């Protein structure tokens, strides 16, 4: 890992909170992700399953966490199973966690090697009545690949078919959606790294650069600040590319007079940041571009104020729709007839702003959180309105990550990242003036 060791008290607290919601005489199991093959002997870089990381801090493959709060033996109430390390593995792959290092990382005292899994699990399963399996029930989930978790669940439920089965996911959805202060500190670090990348971009951008040049500049800054890189596939969309919501080719040249929509975020310690900014290739917005830009920024600022404890996600988006409708009327993109004749299931503003405004963010960019339950303090949301105008050759999206407070407006983790149109112009033009003077 590139990141500094995380205080294990975070994971100790997370396990305690999870076990407090388990049924009597029950056991829960969490698996790491697979290392996924590409072809021949090539693999994708390993990315840890967020649930086992959340509960243990263990960030390596072939790891299993078992939680059994009612275990007759105190040492079996929290158990890690790890791939046994040896000199050969250390030479070819690098050192893996030792039992001592696993305790230092996670606070779990009982660590077995994986070869003891079936023997130990047999003992534990004879002592419990219910087993919690870990299914992916995120509202955006669309997974075709059978995961290591899936294979383990199949083995466990077939071998111990007389046990009751419960689901870990509802517990994790609630726990993971509300951030501990240690998590907020890690997310702030991710946002601060993103800020460094964006400021680098503002000084670098000029007519003739390519979208992939900007992607490379971000990656340079991210890696130099102990991030693995992007929290998600970056969007560097110049001109009309910005009107493709998930444009990721990043292979076009940035032309004079165009805008560039940047939707990027650094990860840090597996925690995500998610930023959108829109900047002028030439360093200056046209009057029309600035009018639309400021309209999006006003919606973002007003929408942010709506994120308070007790708010329901669905109601929030209705209110944001009203804010956007007002701005689109002011820009002449909609008229009163459009509003009067709109389809309630697809309001008129959706022609120019077709996606949602906010989602949970944390270990996952689209993080856990039950959308039918009210928002609470220490949930972290993106706020990302946009206006997309293909006929005028540009789209604008602005996005910050904010923490809901007990009272008052949310705390903006991206408060230091330039967003006002004039500030962006000043930074870009001062940078370009410096180049001219050399």
């Amino acid at each position: 890992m590139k990141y500094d060791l995380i205080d294990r008290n975070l994971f100790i607290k997370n396990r305690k909170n999870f076990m407090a919601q388990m049924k009597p005489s029950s056991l829960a199991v969490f698996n790491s992700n697979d290392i996924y093959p590409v072809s021949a002997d090539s693999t994708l870089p390993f990315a840890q399953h967020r649930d086992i990381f959340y509960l243990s801090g263990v960030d390596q493959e072939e790891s299993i966490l078992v939680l059994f709060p009612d275990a007759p033996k105190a040492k079996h109430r929290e158990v890690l199973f790890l791939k046994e390390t040896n000199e050969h593995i250390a030479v070819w792959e690098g050192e893996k966690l030792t039992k001592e290092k696993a305790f230092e990382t996670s606070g779990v005292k009982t660590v077995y090697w994986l070869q003891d899994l079936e023997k130990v699990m047999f003992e534990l399963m004879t002592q419990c009545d219910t087993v919690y399996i870990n299914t992916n029930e995120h509202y955006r989930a669309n997974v075709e690949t059978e995961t290591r978790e899936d294979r383990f669940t199949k083995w466990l439920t077939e071998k111990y078919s007389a046990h009751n089965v419960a689901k870990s996911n509802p517990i994790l959805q609630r726990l993971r959606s509300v951030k501990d202060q240690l998590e907020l500190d890690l997310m702030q670090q991710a946002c601060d790294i993103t800020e460094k990348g964006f400021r680098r971009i503002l000084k670098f951008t000029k007519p003739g650069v390519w979208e992939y040049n900007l992607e490379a500049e971000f990656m340079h800054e991210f890696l130099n600040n102990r991030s693995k890189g992007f929290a998600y596939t970056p969007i560097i969309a110049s001109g009309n590319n910005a009107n493709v919501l998930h444009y990721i080719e990043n292979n076009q040249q940035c032309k004079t007079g165009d805008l560039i929509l940047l939707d990027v975020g650094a990860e840090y310690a597996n925690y995500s940041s998610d930023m959108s900014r829109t900047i002028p290739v030439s360093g200056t917005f046209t009057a029309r571009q600035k009018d639309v830009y400021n309209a999006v920024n006003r919606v973002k600022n007003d929408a942010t104020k709506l994120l308070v404890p007790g708010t329901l996600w669905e109601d929030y988006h209705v209110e944001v729709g009203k804010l956007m409708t007002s701005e689109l009327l002011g820009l002449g993109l909609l008229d009163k007839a459009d509003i009067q004749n709109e389809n309630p299931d697809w309001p008129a503003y959706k022609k120019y702003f077709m996606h949602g405004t906010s989602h949970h963010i944390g270990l996952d960019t689209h993080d856990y959180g039950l959308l039918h339950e009210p928002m609470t303090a220490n949930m972290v949301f993106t706020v990302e309105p946009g206006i997309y105008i293909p006929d005028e050759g540009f789209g604008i999206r602005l996005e910050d990550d904010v923490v809901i407070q007990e009272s008052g407006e949310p705390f903006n983790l991206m408060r230091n990242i330039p967003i006002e149109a004039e500030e962006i112009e000043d930074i870009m033009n001062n940078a370009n003036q410096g180049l001219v003077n050399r």
Side-chain angles (χ1 to χ4, degrees):
M1 296 91 66
K2 293 183 172 69
Y3 56 87
D4 292 318
L5 187 67
I6 300 170
D7 185 343
R8 69 187 182 197
N9 284 312
L10 171 64
F11 310 116
I12 292 170
K13 186 188 299 184
N14 290 345
R15 292 194 298 277
K16 180 180 178 181
N17 290 339
F18 183 91
M19 288 190 287
Q21 298 191 42
M22 292 174 65
K23 298 176 180 180
S25 188
S26 65
L27 172 155
V29 187
F30 304 90
N31 277 265
S32 61
N33 276 333
D34 284 316
I35 297 178
Y36 290 101
V38 178
S39 64
D41 63 345
S42 299
T43 62
L44 296 173
F46 176 70
Q48 182 58 295
H49 194 297
R50 300 309 192 229
D51 292 335
I52 191 173
F53 183 83
Y54 176 79
L55 294 166
S56 72
V58 170
D59 202 356
Q60 73 178 36
E61 71 282 4
E62 296 184 55
S63 305
I64 298 173
L65 172 68
V66 177
L67 301 179
F68 186 6
D70 295 332
K73 295 179 182 176
K75 72 173 186 176
H76 282 160
R77 289 168 192 168
E78 298 181 344
V79 180
L80 274 172
F81 294 92
L82 302 176
K83 177 181 181 179
E84 183 173 5
T85 190
N86 56 46
E87 290 183 6
H88 178 79
I89 290 173
V91 169
W92 285 91
E93 300 178 25
E95 291 185 359
K96 302 296 181 183
L97 288 173
T98 62
K99 292 183 179 182
E100 295 74 21
K101 190 67 175 177
F103 170 67
E104 182 183 348
T105 299
S106 68
V108 176
K109 295 177 182 177
T110 303
V111 181
Y112 292 106
W113 300 129
L114 272 177
Q115 62 240 33
D116 296 322
L117 175 69
E118 292 204 32
K119 178 180 71 176
V120 176
M121 283 300 294
F122 178 79
E123 178 183 346
L124 300 184
M125 292 298 285
T126 62
Q127 298 167 348
C128 73
D129 298 320
T130 301
V131 58
Y132 280 82
I133 60 172
N134 194 27
T135 51
N136 184 351
E137 299 180 22
H138 190 273
Y139 64 97
R140 292 181 184 237
N142 182 21
V143 182
E144 295 184 7
T145 304
E146 185 178 53
T147 65
R148 184 180 184 85
E149 195 85 83
D150 295 333
R151 296 195 304 275
F152 187 89
T153 296
K154 189 182 296 183
W155 170 79
L156 190 69
T157 53
E158 287 178 357
K159 185 173 179 65
Y160 300 100
S161 57
H163 281 68
N164 298 318
V165 175
K167 300 187 300 182
S168 297
N169 194 259
I171 300 175
L172 286 168
Q173 290 267 13
R174 293 185 177 92
L175 291 180
R176 278 183 49 184
S177 66
V178 180
K179 283 13 180 209
D180 183 272
Q181 185 59 50
L182 286 169
E183 293 184 282
L184 295 176
D185 293 343
L186 293 168
M187 294 184 71
Q188 183 66 74
Q189 249 178 298
C191 291
D192 290 347
I193 295 170
T194 300
E195 177 193 353
K196 292 179 179 179
F198 182 59
R199 289 185 181 275
R200 183 184 183 93
I201 288 296
L202 290 177
K203 297 174 182 178
F204 176 84
T205 301
K206 58 184 181 297
V209 302
W210 293 74
E211 293 165 349
Y212 56 76
N213 296 145
L214 302 182
E215 183 176 350
E217 293 297 311
F218 271 115
M219 182 61 95
H220 175 96
E221 202 67 32
F222 291 177
L223 290 176
N224 269 335
N225 285 278
R226 306 191 73 163
S227 166
K228 283 188 295 188
F230 295 101
Y232 52 93
T233 305
I235 296 170
I236 316 287
S238 62
N240 239 328
N241 295 334
N243 294 306
V244 180
L245 296 183
H246 291 133
Y247 171 83
I248 56 173
E249 284 77 7
N250 303 345
N251 62 4
Q252 298 299 304
Q253 194 169 32
C254 303
K255 299 174 183 177
T256 300
D258 276 350
L259 300 182
I260 311 170
L261 192 159
L262 307 164
D263 191 336
V264 302
E267 73 80 49
Y268 181 77
N270 291 316
Y271 282 86
S272 295
S273 65
D274 189 354
M275 176 200 76
S276 292
R277 293 292 187 269
T278 306
I279 65 174
V281 174
S282 306
T284 304
F285 294 96
T286 67
R288 174 61 169 175
Q289 289 169 348
K290 187 174 285 190
D291 284 345
V292 177
Y293 186 100
N294 288 334
V296 174
N297 202 15
R298 284 192 294 271
V299 173
K300 186 190 76 69
N301 291 336
D302 290 342
T304 300
K305 297 172 186 176
L306 300 174
L307 294 172
V308 296
T311 298
L312 288 171
W313 191 80
E314 189 172 342
D315 295 343
Y316 162 75
H317 280 93
V318 171
E319 293 305 310
V320 175
K322 294 175 183 177
L323 295 171
M324 182 59 77
T325 299
S326 176
E327 293 291 350
L328 292 172
L329 286 167
L331 291 168
L333 292 168
L334 295 179
D335 58 33
K336 291 182 179 179
D338 294 321
I339 312 304
Q340 291 169 352
N341 299 324
E342 70 181 7
N343 178 352
D345 295 327
W346 191 255
Y349 77 85
K350 288 285 189 181
K351 179 179 179 180
Y352 299 99
F353 174 38
M354 58 291 294
H355 58 77
T357 309
S358 294
H359 58 77
H360 290 86
I361 182 170
L363 279 169
D364 287 299
T365 303
H366 297 123
D367 205 32
Y368 282 5
L370 297 169
L371 300 183
H372 61 275
E373 295 189 355
M375 298 177 186
T376 64
N378 282 6
M379 286 185 173
V380 186
F381 282 92
T382 63
V383 187
E384 50 181 307
I387 294 176
Y388 308 92
I389 319 174
D391 291 345
E392 298 183 35
F394 68 90
I396 294 172
R397 180 162 66 250
L398 300 174
E399 175 183 21
D400 285 335
D401 303 341
V402 303
V403 188
I404 293 181
Q405 304 295 291
E406 290 285 357
S407 61
E409 294 183 21
F411 179 77
N412 190 351
L413 295 171
M414 294 184 163
R415 62 202 175 280
N416 296 324
I417 303 179
I419 194 167
E420 298 299 327
E422 291 76 12
E423 183 182 7
I424 286 172
E425 289 177 329
D426 286 346
I427 296 172
M428 295 184 75
N429 288 318
N430 287 337
N432 291 332
Q433 187 63 41
L435 291 174
V436 170
N437 292 336
R438 286 180 188 173

